[in-house]
Amino acid sequence: MRITVTVDGVAYSDEVEPRALLVHHLRERLGKIGTVIGCDTGNCGSCTVHLDGRGVKSCAVLAVQADGREVTTVEGLARDGRPHPVQEAFHDNHALQCGFCTPGMIMRVVDLLADDPDPDDDAVRHGLEGNLCRCTGYQNIVRAVRDAAARLNAAGTGAAGANTGANAGDAA
């Protein structure tokens, strides 16, 4: 089946198997290796991307479901060669250990901050429930989310204005 999908602002047209998962299409066909394959069951959130501005777990979405739609990966968050404020906050707050969960966490945090631009620690933890960190780096992740919120609020852009216009939404 032929699909056309816009990924990180670039349109791609490609033949895909009807049963191919979006995560595999992104990584294997389009080279978007920042989208991590974690569990293939939708439990860990490592493969979170934005589909039409809403966070989804790409291991739970068929590539054919992305036909005619827009996908943003963690690689697509940067603008004008500068990392997204959430990416900067994760780096500056050492919000990773092994880094495996980081791309999905960052994508989910963009959604979270679009929904709640100034979450407290409990709201951050609740908002990240569908994304797992196996290294237990949650303290630094929570710190990074609060820092990213402050950066976005200081810039007056909010999470959506700083990237792709992502809407709030729970990962699928």
Side-chain angles (χ1 to χ4, degrees):
M1 171 173 225
R2 179 164 283 295
I3 65 168
T4 300
V5 61
T6 301
V7 179
D8 297 336
V10 177
Y12 296 91
S13 186
D14 207 356
E15 292 289 327
V16 298
E17 290 288 324
R19 67 179 184 264
L21 296 173
L22 181 58
V23 67
H24 294 293
H25 183 67
L26 292 170
R27 290 181 58 82
E28 297 164 13
R29 298 297 293 261
L30 304 183
K32 299 294 184 174
I33 59 173
T35 302
V36 179
I37 298 171
C39 64
D40 274 337
T41 62
N43 289 320
C44 75
S46 294
C47 67
T48 301
V49 298
H50 292 161
L51 183 61
D52 291 337
R54 184 171 184 266
V56 299
K57 294 176 182 178
S58 61
C59 75
V61 176
L62 296 172
V64 296
Q65 291 175 291
D67 186 30
R69 300 174 78 184
E70 209 159 309
V71 175
T72 303
T73 69
V74 71
E75 293 102 328
L77 290 180
R79 289 290 176 256
D80 301 320
R82 183 181 168 109
H84 186 281
V86 173
Q87 292 169 311
E88 289 176 338
F90 266 64
H91 176 269
D92 294 348
N93 288 277
H94 310 288
L96 57 109
Q97 287 184 35
C98 78
F100 197 79
C101 71
T102 306
M105 285 281 187
I106 287 172
M107 298 305 288
R108 180 63 191 122
V109 168
V110 171
D111 279 346
L112 171 65
L113 294 178
D115 186 41
D116 183 354
D118 192 21
D120 62 19
D121 288 359
D122 288 337
V124 171
R125 286 185 180 90
H126 178 72
L128 295 178
E129 283 179 350
N131 290 68
L132 304 177
C133 173
R134 294 178 178 138
C135 299
T136 67
Y138 289 107
Q139 274 309 114
N140 288 346
I141 291 169
V142 170
R143 195 171 305 128
V145 175
R146 300 288 304 276
D147 182 21
R151 292 172 192 228
L152 291 164
N153 290 330
T157 59
N163 68 26
T164 62
N167 295 322
D170 294 326

